[in-house]
Amino acid sequence: MSSVAADHIPANVGHDDHAHAVPHGWRRWLFATNHKDIGTMYLIFSFAMLLEGGTLALLLRTELFEPGLQFFQPELFNQFTTMHGLIMIFGAIMPAFVGFANWMIPLQIGASDMAFARMNNFSFWLLPVGATLFTVSFFVPGGATASGWTMYAPLSLQMGPGMDFAIFGVHILGASSIMGAINIIVTILNMRAPGMTLMKMPLFCWTWLITAYLLIAVMPVLAAAVTMLLTDRHFGTAFFNAAGGGDPVLYQHVFWFFGHPEVYIMILPAFGIVSAIVPAFSRKNLFGYASMVYATAAIAILSFLVWAHHMFTTGMPVTSQLYFMYATMLISIPTGVKIFNWVATMWRGSLTFETPMLFAIGFIFVFTIGGFTGLIVAVAPIDIAVHDTYYVVAHFHYVLVAGSLFALFGGAYYWLPKWTGRMYDERLGKWHFWSTMISFNVTFFPMHFLGLAGMPRRYADYAAQFTDFHQVATIGAFWFGLSQLLFLYVVLKAYAGRGEVAPAKPWEGAEGLEWSVPSPAPHHTFTTPPVIK
Amino acid sequence: MTPEQRRRNRRTGLILAVIVLAIIAWTFVRGSALMGS
């Protein structure tokens, strides 16, 4: 990041709470328009969804501990699989990043709040509605949808009413994301403090700006796709119904035109968080700030051009396979630029290893493994062999858990002093990191071998030869799940005001406007914009 | 927030909302066209 120094922080910054009273009680939250309150609600909501989605994952792992059917019938198992994916993606990871955006973007660009404060409130309150639709769909006749989070036709056309709940849930959560994205774009473009040029913005703002454009471009495609599913199911159209002249493969094209950029929607803000943490604990400026911005934009553009690498087994022409294979491999170049820049930032830095830095380094290490397996499955002949196996499950969990979730944890520890005014318990934070890091690998590393040996995903039962690796993965999953309760305890402890009082800038090497306001950040900040040199 | 900033925000937000609606419509139109092919 280019270094940013506020020329003049007005005296009232952080001390202007008397000007606008802080609302109290339930009204403060229900009618919240303050970006920090809404950010907090997003983060709490997403953690609750992480626990719900995680519980579903543990139910899956319980069933898979041994071959044969012990606890759940395959139909229910597939419902768990589907809802685990939908809840984690639309309920946990995406809202968590929007929570970070709400909290940090106005603070980092010197804005008093988000551009559309009331729409911000509406975006948030749509989330519990969507999540409720997902959750209650288990209790409708036939149960929740069991079509997988991708909701492929024709299976999704044949599901019971649980499918309609999922479609409405996706609509509502998608609408929330679109409104959040519009808010973020407008805030960043129009509300930066004087002197805060785009190329002076912290990288977290840049990654979110590009992510928000991705959301604007692809969320409507998903909305249209699931609406077409709905009309096929209930209104006699045949977009994806072969019996009526439609084409199920068309659904896959439309879905993955959304789905692949969606992967980057869940990882680009993580890159932004890591790009804040690594320089802070290396006590150096970020290496190659401009190239980081261009690499982020390049990843976003390329993400539109590679969707059919998810569909190599649909029988596409070899020339198309070659195109999508090479285009996918191209993404490794800007991604490699990022990895290189983080390592170069650490090179000869004055490194310390507080919990946020541990998560950032852990992120770089395990995300790179996920990136490499991504390159492997990009190779069409290999993908055809490992398609729909546990190899793919391992790959995307290395990207989304070790990628997105590790960065979220790192960011939470990094900014927790700013949010709560208290330092978290460093010893417990480090325990959380190591426990999470080890258990994550215990859970997901064996899945590579399961996939290579031919274990298909979304199966409740399996041949006895897969038992050992499944048992290791199940033990790891429970260990991983329990480790997250430690995180909850650390955060609650800081929120309860137990722990050292945090100064305005608790990290020696941290840079940016957010550290110029007191900790905890006052209810209103930057009512008079700072001037950036 | 100044009234000018408010106006600018509203204008940018509306442009983005129109883009969203246009993409939804485009997906339907393309979907319908491909359905018949």
Side-chain angles (χ1 to χ4, degrees), chain A residues 112 114-116 178 182 185-186 189-191 213 216-217 220-221 223-225 227-228 231 238-239 245-246 250 254 257, chain B residues 1 5-6 8-14 16-17 19-21 23-28 30-37:
Chain A
S112 56
M114 298 295 281
F116 303 113
I178 289 169
I182 290 175
I185 292 174
V186 177
L189 291 186
N190 292 351
M191 296 185 65
Y213 276 116
I216 294 286
V221 175
T227 306
M228 287 190 268
T231 58
F239 289 103
L250 172 63
V254 180
F257 188 77
Chain B
M1 213 185 304
Q5 204 168 27
R6 227 180 271 279
R8 256 190 329 151
N9 287 351
R10 210 171 298 146
R11 196 170 51 225
T12 317
L14 274 174
L16 292 169
I19 291 171
V20 168
L21 294 175
I23 296 173
I24 293 177
W26 173 80
T27 311
F28 265 105
R30 288 297 298 154
S32 308
L34 287 169
M35 195 172 60
S37 63

Side-chain angles (χ1 to χ4, degrees), chain A residues 167-218:
Chain A
I167 289 173
F168 284 130
V170 167
H171 268 140
I172 286 172
L173 297 178
S176 166
S177 288
I178 289 169
M179 284 190 277
I182 290 175
N183 221 338
I184 287 166
I185 292 174
V186 177
T187 304
I188 292 177
L189 291 186
N190 292 351
M191 296 185 65
R192 297 189 313 279
M196 175 69 78
T197 60
L198 283 174
M199 291 309 274
K200 277 187 186 167
M201 280 197 312
L203 212 74
F204 178 68
C205 299
W206 255 114
T207 53
W208 242 118
L209 179 64
I210 292 167
T211 301
Y213 276 116
L214 278 181
L215 277 165
I216 294 286
V218 300

Side-chain angles (χ1 to χ4, degrees), chain A residues 91-279:
Chain A
I93 297 180
M94 289 172 69
F97 281 125
V98 181
F100 273 79
N102 260 289
W103 247 106
M104 300 318 302
I105 287 176
L107 284 179
Q108 290 191 327
I109 63 171
S112 56
D113 207 309
M114 298 295 281
F116 303 113
R118 289 193 195 92
M119 191 169 82
N120 207 10
N121 173 291
F122 187 49
S123 301
F124 172 76
W125 283 111
L126 283 177
L127 294 180
V129 179
T132 304
L133 282 170
F134 281 169
T135 307
V136 300
S137 71
F138 278 111
F139 305 104
V140 301
T145 177
S147 60
W149 84 277
T150 50
M151 299 178 281
Y152 273 4
L155 189 57
S156 53
L157 301 177
Q158 297 157 3
M159 290 275 151
M163 188 69 225
D164 300 317
F165 278 67
I167 289 173
F168 284 130
V170 167
H171 268 140
I172 286 172
L173 297 178
S176 166
S177 288
I178 289 169
M179 284 190 277
I182 290 175
N183 221 338
I184 287 166
I185 292 174
V186 177
T187 304
I188 292 177
L189 291 186
N190 292 351
M191 296 185 65
R192 297 189 313 279
M196 175 69 78
T197 60
L198 283 174
M199 291 309 274
K200 277 187 186 167
M201 280 197 312
L203 212 74
F204 178 68
C205 299
W206 255 114
T207 53
W208 242 118
L209 179 64
I210 292 167
T211 301
Y213 276 116
L214 278 181
L215 277 165
I216 294 286
V218 300
M219 268 295 162
V221 175
L222 176 69
V226 295
T227 306
M228 287 190 268
L229 273 185
L230 193 73
T231 58
D232 272 11
R233 283 168 59 81
H234 297 295
F235 301 104
T237 60
F239 289 103
F240 309 128
N241 188 353
D247 184 357
V249 177
L250 172 63
Y251 177 82
Q252 295 193 29
H253 280 289
V254 180
F255 180 84
W256 286 114
F257 188 77
F258 146 80
H260 198 74
E262 169 70 9
V263 174
Y264 296 99
I265 286 165
M266 290 188 282
I267 201 66
L268 292 183
F271 291 168
I273 292 173
V274 172
S275 300
I277 294 171
V278 170

Side-chain angles (χ1 to χ4, degrees), chain A residues 37 75 117 174 180 186 203 211 305 362-363 378 397 412 492 508:
Chain A
D37 284 351
E75 291 79 8
V186 177
L203 212 74
T211 301
L305 310 175
F363 166 95
H397 281 89
L492 289 179
E508 183 195 353

Side-chain angles (χ1 to χ4, degrees), chain A residues 404-415:
Chain A
S404 307
L405 195 61
F406 275 30
L408 285 164
F409 284 141
Y413 283 111
Y414 182 59
W415 283 306

Side-chain angles (χ1 to χ4, degrees), chain A residues 411-530:
Chain A
Y413 283 111
Y414 182 59
W415 283 306
L416 202 60
K418 186 58 58 190
W419 299 342
T420 64
R422 297 282 168 166
M423 298 304 289
Y424 60 84
D425 187 325
E426 187 64 53
R427 192 174 57 91
L428 288 182
K430 282 181 174 151
W431 270 100
H432 173 230
F433 167 74
W434 285 110
S435 186
T436 299
M437 181 71 168
I438 297 168
S439 60
F440 166 80
N441 283 289
V442 171
T443 308
F444 293 105
F445 205 73
M447 291 186 189
H448 293 105
F449 304 120
L450 281 170
L452 289 173
M455 171 75 207
R457 67 194 281 203
R458 295 171 178 160
Y459 272 42
D461 192 6
Y462 52 84
Q465 71 194 62
F466 300 122
T467 308
D468 292 346
F469 281 135
H470 268 305
Q471 292 191 337
V472 172
T474 297
I475 291 166
F478 274 89
W479 179 3
F480 183 86
L482 290 173
S483 304
Q484 305 327 310
L485 298 180
L486 194 56
F487 172 72
L488 182 63
Y489 175 73
V490 172
V491 172
L492 289 179
K493 197 176 160 188
Y495 263 102
R498 287 167 56 201
E500 215 180 297
V501 174
K505 185 178 153 182
W507 312 118
E508 183 195 353
E511 274 196 52
L513 283 178
E514 74 263 39
W515 307 112
S516 67
V517 299
S519 300
H523 198 64
H524 297 289
T525 38
F526 300 127
T527 44
T528 308

Side-chain angles (χ1 to χ4, degrees), chain A residues 51-63:
Chain A
L51 294 182
E52 183 180 348
T55 304
L56 292 173
L58 293 183
L59 293 175
L60 297 172
R61 290 310 322 169
T62 304
E63 176 56 49

